[in-house]
Amino acid sequence: MADIPLQPYESVVGQGMMAYWEPVLGSSCNVWRGTIFVTDQRVCFQISWTTHMEVELKRSEISGFTVGKHLFATKVTIHSKSGEKFTFTGFPVKKLQGWLRSLGIPQLK
């Protein structure tokens, strides 16, 4: 599995392969496969075939997360304080919820 460079005093809370749903032109989206990293300081998503961080949010920039369904798959959407939304699906989606809660990030209604 991929790794990310950590900042001083930063530690990984969890990581796993997921899909990121990037909104494009209203109701359509691109789906990127990669690795999500949750550290005690930030949440990052790196596309599998590149070293590019598609998403990098500091913990202080996150207002909360919501859980929903897309067909039969559970999805987690992370909400930034600036109003952006980042949606993820995949096997560790329940673990992702736990990692976010462990950082004190609230589940929004």
Side-chain angles (χ1 to χ4, degrees):
M1 198 170 287
D3 266 331
I4 59 168
L6 297 175
Q7 305 297 321
Y9 308 107
E10 182 179 28
S11 60
V12 175
V13 175
Q15 69 183 64
M17 295 293 294
M18 297 195 85
Y20 166 55
W21 297 48
E22 179 184 34
V24 179
L25 301 174
S27 62
S28 65
C29 65
N30 288 328
V31 179
W32 300 102
R33 191 181 72 186
T35 304
I36 193 161
F37 299 91
V38 179
T39 76
D40 57 353
Q41 297 179 23
R42 59 194 168 131
V43 175
C44 304
F45 180 79
Q46 184 176 25
I47 296 173
S48 289
W49 48 274
T50 72
T51 57
H52 174 67
M53 283 297 173
E54 186 65 26
V55 175
E56 188 167 5
L57 285 170
K58 292 180 185 173
R59 189 170 141 196
S60 61
E61 297 172 336
I62 300 172
S63 62
F65 70 95
T66 55
V67 179
K69 290 277 190 191
H70 179 76
L71 300 174
F72 298 106
T74 301
K75 64 181 181 176
V76 171
T77 302
I78 298 173
H79 300 260
S80 75
K81 290 181 178 175
S82 65
E84 293 178 290
K85 297 177 184 177
F86 305 91
T87 301
F88 300 93
T89 59
F91 178 71
V93 75
K94 288 191 181 206
K95 288 182 180 180
L96 175 58
Q97 294 170 56
W99 300 332
L100 295 171
R101 283 188 191 101
S102 75
L103 296 175
I105 298 171
Q107 181 173 346
L108 306 172
K109 300 287 177 183

